[in-house]
Amino acid sequence: MLGHRHHNTTLVRWIVWIIMYMGFALRIAVALYSSSDAVGADLRGDLLHHQVAQNITLGHGFVLDVGVPYSFNPPGYAFFLACAYLLFGQHWFAVAFSQAAISMLSTALVYLAAKKLFNGKSGMFAAVLSSFYPYTVYHSSRVMDTTLFTLIMLVIICLVVHVWQDSDWKKWLLIGLVMGLGCLVRTTMLAVFISLSVWLIIVLGWRQGVSAISICSVGVILVVSPWTVRNFVAERELIFISSKGMANAYIGNNRLTMEYIDQGISLDKQWQDDRFEWPPKRLSRADERRWYLSQVVEFVKNNTNDYQRLLYRKLISFWSPSINPSIEHSGGSDAWSENAGLFFNVSFRYVRDITYTVSYVILVVLAVLGLANSLSWRRETLLVLLILSMYTLVNVLVWTSTRLRIPLDSLLAIFAGFGLLRALNLGHRSEHSLRNSIRFR
């Protein structure tokens, strides 16, 4: 019996290795197909991260324009991208190889988390769903912080799953340090911190929970505080991580936002809209952020009903089975355009939309099944539900996009693997019961 179990475990591990290899190869192939707009001025991704990374490699530091202080974006992804450029050059392969590699690390973490929570087969199914999920495959070839942030979030989840019942302060400090790194990639990592804090108090009690939270907080502060000091020295302002929060909140909450979401246009395209209201000139950066906040408050106060509809629309858009914003509104070359034919003159847009919708719906249905079947006996399930809720709330209040939801899709994959196993077991039991009923007739 033990030998048979060991054989099964070894087989599952080999299958997972093969899955990861195939997922890595798929990501490189997709990146090669779209290599014409992977880097450079016309890249399909976040041009600001690319420009800052380029300046880092040239020795100018973390700046967008040489000699001008910059703190709009968090620094984590730009430094990661700069390391990739230094290793491979400013080439599509730099983005593709580095992000495909960490995407496969994320798949390994999905497998380990599902195995720890459930069993090896659940982990194997979760790895399949994670490795071949089309949305993450595409984004691993783009200059975007999504892949790196997803990896850090999954590292935190795996650490918590393995140590939450352990009172060793060093392990909680490690979780805090990793969470601090996540904050330097996306400030929405703070939503994960809040969710974890609430969960720890629920499962560990007030005293032990607050102790673990406090140690985690020390880790976060140790990582983030040097960057806060840098921002204060460079810009003479107390900027915790980045200064983009108020600008994003304004973009996500104004009279044009609903129109852009309905049309599937990226919200940052509002900056080029003649109807868009800019802040007054010659404001300091601090006053500019206060102006953004005042505009959001005024919009909410004067348009209560419209604002409520906007929040609902952003919620639906965030979890939508349709990609928002649409790819054809995000720039780039013809490789991913609406009219790029694949087979039998079928447009890329049609194939993309069908592939995304089908894969996403399957993932969500299996994840809901896994979450529902584990909530009563796995306390970690509540943590994931809290993260899903808090992360959604933050994005709905500020800025909404299905791209921003991708890290949550990886969390869903952990439970979707268990959901798929449950579905297969239920089918097997139903077939077995039917055979028994026929046999006894």
Side-chain angles (χ1 to χ4, degrees):
M1 179 66 73
L2 290 176
H4 178 70
R5 186 176 300 173
H6 175 73
H7 174 74
N8 287 341
T9 301
T10 302
L11 178 61
V12 167
R13 288 175 179 171
W14 273 106
I15 292 174
V16 171
W17 276 111
I18 293 172
I19 290 168
M20 291 175 60
Y21 175 80
M22 293 174 64
F24 180 83
L26 177 61
R27 282 159 173 76
I28 296 297
V30 169
L32 176 61
Y33 172 74
S34 60
S35 58
S36 57
D37 61 3
V39 296
D42 296 324
L43 65 83
R44 184 186 296 277
D46 196 323
L47 182 60
L48 295 182
H49 284 307
H50 167 72
Q51 291 175 338
V52 172
Q54 188 177 40
N55 281 322
I56 292 173
T57 61
L58 294 174
H60 301 312
F62 187 82
V63 296
L64 188 63
D65 299 312
V66 178
V68 180
Y70 178 73
S71 62
F72 184 75
N73 276 316
Y77 181 69
F79 278 104
F80 168 81
L81 194 60
C83 290
Y85 287 166
L86 289 171
L87 287 173
F88 304 105
Q90 292 185 37
H91 189 263
W92 70 267
F93 187 75
V95 179
F97 181 85
S98 58
Q99 296 195 160
I102 64 174
S103 184
M104 289 303 94
L105 288 177
S106 295
T107 296
L109 293 172
V110 167
Y111 164 74
L112 292 174
K115 181 183 177 183
K116 173 68 174 179
L117 291 174
F118 309 113
N119 52 46
K121 288 184 179 180
S122 296
M124 180 181 67
F125 291 145
V128 171
L129 293 168
S130 174
S131 184
F132 301 114
Y133 187 55
Y135 211 25
T136 56
V137 169
Y138 169 76
H139 277 279
S140 66
S141 67
R142 303 291 91 192
V143 176
M144 294 179 181
D145 59 12
T146 309
T147 305
L148 180 60
F149 184 80
T150 299
L151 173 68
I152 296 175
M153 177 181 285
L154 288 170
V155 169
I156 293 169
I157 294 299
C158 280
L159 287 173
V160 171
V161 165
H162 281 82
V163 311
W164 72 269
Q165 293 175 305
D166 194 331
S167 58
D168 188 353
W169 66 271
K170 295 178 183 178
K171 295 177 180 177
W172 289 110
L173 180 62
L174 175 61
I175 292 174
L177 293 172
V178 177
M179 198 167 289
L181 290 175
C183 289
L184 294 181
V185 176
R186 276 191 196 175
T187 53
T188 44
M189 180 58 71
L190 295 173
V192 179
F193 177 75
I194 294 171
S195 303
L196 178 61
S197 300
V198 173
W199 182 76
L200 286 174
I201 292 175
I202 292 173
V203 298
L204 296 179
W206 181 260
R207 182 176 180 179
Q208 192 175 352
V210 169
S211 176
I213 295 166
S214 301
I215 297 171
C216 279
S217 300
V218 171
V220 173
I221 293 171
L222 286 174
V223 174
V224 171
S225 57
W227 189 251
T228 305
V229 172
R230 174 267 179 194
N231 290 338
F232 183 78
V233 172
E235 304 208 28
R236 298 300 178 184
E237 293 182 46
L238 187 60
I239 301 171
F240 181 49
I241 297 172
S242 68
S243 60
K244 67 189 297 182
M246 282 298 103
N248 282 351
Y250 176 52
I251 288 291
N253 297 278
N254 66 74
R255 60 188 180 86
L256 299 177
T257 304
M258 181 75 84
E259 175 186 334
Y260 272 68
I261 293 175
D262 287 340
Q263 294 182 11
I265 305 175
S266 179
L267 296 182
D268 57 10
K269 297 296 181 182
Q270 293 180 54
W271 296 109
Q272 287 85 46
D273 196 315
D274 293 337
R275 299 169 297 168
F276 184 72
E277 185 176 358
W278 285 75
K281 296 180 179 180
R282 297 181 180 177
L283 288 180
S284 67
R285 295 182 181 178
D287 288 337
E288 188 176 85
R289 289 194 291 275
R290 282 190 283 270
W291 183 88
Y292 288 138
L293 178 60
S294 67
Q295 293 299 109
V296 173
V297 172
E298 183 178 348
F299 172 73
V300 174
K301 287 174 60 179
N302 297 336
N303 305 274
T304 305
N305 293 332
D306 289 341
Y307 179 66
Q308 291 174 354
R309 287 193 293 270
L310 176 61
L311 290 179
Y312 175 76
R313 186 67 183 84
K314 287 197 287 185
L315 174 62
I316 298 302
S317 178
F318 187 71
W319 287 101
S320 173
S322 300
I323 297 176
N324 195 316
S326 302
I327 288 181
E328 62 268 22
H329 291 294
S330 60
S333 70
D334 292 335
W336 298 108
S337 69
E338 179 177 351
N339 297 320
L342 294 180
F343 302 103
F344 307 108
N345 294 321
V346 177
S347 71
F348 169 75
R349 178 181 180 181
Y350 178 78
V351 175
R352 174 209 66 185
D353 290 348
I354 292 297
T355 302
Y356 168 78
T357 300
V358 171
S359 61
Y360 174 66
V361 169
I362 291 173
L363 179 73
V364 170
V365 170
L366 292 175
V368 169
L369 181 60
L371 289 165
N373 279 276
S374 63
L375 183 58
S376 61
W377 59 282
R378 292 289 347 180
R379 301 177 109 178
E380 296 88 346
T381 303
L382 176 60
L383 171 60
V384 172
L385 289 174
L386 287 171
I387 292 174
L388 295 176
S389 301
M390 185 59 65
Y391 199 92
T392 299
L393 177 63
V394 169
N395 281 277
V396 168
L397 290 176
V398 180
W399 182 303
T400 189
S401 166
T402 48
R403 177 182 71 85
L404 299 176
R405 196 205 62 238
I406 291 179
L408 302 186
D409 291 350
S410 294
L411 294 186
L412 293 179
I414 297 172
F415 290 85
F418 177 60
L420 178 56
L421 182 64
R422 289 286 296 173
L424 293 175
N425 285 339
L426 289 173
H428 176 74
R429 290 175 184 174
S430 299
E431 182 181 357
H432 183 70
S433 300
L434 178 61
R435 287 176 179 175
N436 287 339
S437 66
I438 294 174
R439 184 181 305 169
F440 287 113
R441 283 180 183 177

